[in-house]
């Protein structure tokens, strides 16, 4: 049964006794008391002295068979299937309780990899440094888990370097193009470290959003390049563009000075 449902054990006696009889009832298997509710008996069968700790059931006279209903507990733990073995008078039967809980991503935290754990959280890095995304699962899986991993934001492929995982997490089939990460059994959280590229472009701050299993976090990449004057060219305003440049004029004419920047600026500069 799925956890939350009940297992039914039907006990058949060799014959109906003219007097009440007692039989030992033992419980074993991988299920624990936390997984089980109170046992219920049919046909007037009871625990001896109404005490489950006795481990003995009392069967009234004339009863040739009865049932034992065992409710199971619907908890939130992610777990493997569990067995429940009931033995009555030395004869056993086994039921199985399956889990109905799934592992999900509960949180993703973006940080400067060099300042992980800082308070308040620092999720801004200068290009060339690395962003770290800490992914928390709702619970460690009893088997390996797979989750979609996507990148978004204004940062493009040229801005991003290698992506590394901790705790044995890998791309599915070692293929980043799959867009799927595989998390080993028993792992409750892991880190994704994303290197950023230190280029020479002058650009605005860029965002990098990492989404794992539908849960996202965003880090920011700031620029470390500046605009400067790379050249000034003097020319006769009436003869611009000559090669070599004509920078001589007669008095009364105009000189033109062309100022060349190393790169266009995203915003106004002085």
């Amino acid at each position: 049964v799925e956890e939350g449902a009940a297992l039914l054990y039907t006990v058949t006696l060799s014959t109906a006794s003219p007097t009440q009889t007692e039989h030992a009832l033992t419980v074993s298997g991988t299920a624990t008391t936390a997984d089980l509710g109170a046992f219920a008996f049919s046909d007037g069968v009871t625990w001896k002295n109404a005490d489950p700790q006795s481990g003995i059931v009392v069967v009234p006279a004339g009863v040739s068979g009865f049932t034992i209903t065992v409710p199971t507990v619907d908890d939130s733990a992610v777990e493997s299937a569990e067995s429940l073995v009931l033995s009555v008078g030395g004869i056993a039967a086994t039921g199985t309780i399956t889990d109905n809980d799934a592992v999900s991503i509960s949180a993703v935290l973006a940080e400067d990899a060099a300042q992980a754990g800082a308070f308040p959280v620092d999720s801004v890095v200068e290009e060339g440094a690395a962003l770290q995304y800490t992914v928390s699962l709702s619970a460690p899986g009893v088997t390996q888990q797979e989750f979609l991993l996507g990148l978004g934001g204004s940062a493009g492929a040229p801005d991003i370097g290698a992506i590394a995982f901790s705790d044995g997490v890998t791309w599915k089939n070692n293929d980043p193009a799959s867009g799927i990460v595989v998390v080993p059994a028993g792992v409750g959280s892991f880190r994704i470290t994303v290197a950023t590229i230190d280029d020479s472009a002058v650009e605005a701050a860029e965002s990098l959003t990492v989404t794992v299993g539908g849960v996202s976090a965003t880090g920011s990449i700031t620029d470390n390049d500046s605009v400067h004057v790379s050249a000034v060219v003097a020319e006769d305003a009436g003869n611009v563009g000559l090669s070599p440049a004509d920078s001589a004029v007669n008095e009364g004419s105009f000189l033109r000075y062309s100022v060349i920047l190393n790169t266009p600026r995203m915003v106004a500069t002085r």
Side-chain angles (χ1 to χ4, degrees):
V1 298
E2 186 177 271
E3 61 179 12
L7 283 165
L8 180 69
Y9 295 80
T10 300
V11 180
T12 303
L13 303 179
S14 57
T15 187
S17 173
T19 61
Q20 73 175 24
T21 55
E22 297 182 357
H23 302 277
L25 190 160
T26 60
V27 180
S28 59
T30 57
T32 67
T33 54
D35 301 307
L36 310 175
F39 288 24
F41 303 98
S42 70
D43 297 274
V45 174
T46 61
W47 288 109
K48 185 174 184 178
N49 300 323
D51 180 13
Q53 297 301 316
S54 69
I56 296 174
V57 290
V58 178
V59 181
V63 172
S64 60
F66 61 95
T67 60
I68 307 171
T69 303
V70 184
T72 66
V73 175
D74 185 3
D75 57 28
S76 59
V78 177
E79 51 201 348
S80 300
E82 298 167 309
S83 61
L84 178 61
V85 182
L86 292 193
S87 177
V88 182
I91 306 298
T94 302
T96 301
I97 307 167
T98 60
D99 193 29
N100 61 2
D101 300 292
V103 177
S104 61
I105 302 300
S106 57
V108 180
L109 175 66
E111 298 177 282
D112 176 352
Q115 302 292 329
F119 183 81
V121 174
D122 178 7
S123 59
V124 179
V125 299
E126 186 177 272
E127 61 180 10
L131 283 165
Q132 175 178 290
Y133 297 80
T134 301
V135 182
S136 299
L137 282 63
S138 58
V142 295
T143 59
Q144 73 176 21
Q145 305 292 313
E146 297 185 358
F147 300 99
L148 289 172
L149 188 157
L151 302 180
S154 58
D159 302 305
I160 300 168
I163 298 175
F165 305 100
S166 71
D167 297 272
V169 174
T170 61
W171 289 109
K172 186 173 184 178
N173 299 323
N174 294 313
D175 180 13
S178 70
I180 296 173
V181 290
V182 180
V183 182
V187 172
S189 68
F190 63 94
R191 298 179 304 281
I192 305 171
T193 303
V194 183
T196 68
I197 303 299
D198 185 2
D199 57 28
S200 60
V202 177
E203 52 200 347
E206 298 168 309
S207 61
L208 178 60
T209 300
V210 172
T211 302
V212 185
V215 181
S216 302
T218 300
S220 296
I221 307 166
T222 59
D223 194 29
N224 61 1
D225 301 292
S226 61
V227 177
H228 61 267
V229 175
S230 60
V232 180
V233 179
E235 297 177 282
D236 176 354
N239 288 289
V240 297
L242 297 180
S243 180
D246 179 7
S247 58
V249 297
N250 293 324
E251 59 182 3
S253 297
F254 292 91
L255 282 167
R256 188 178 81 167
Y257 294 83
S258 298
V259 181
I260 301 170
L261 303 178
N262 64 317
T263 184
R265 179 64 177 168
M266 300 295 296
V267 295
T269 188
R270 293 182 180 179

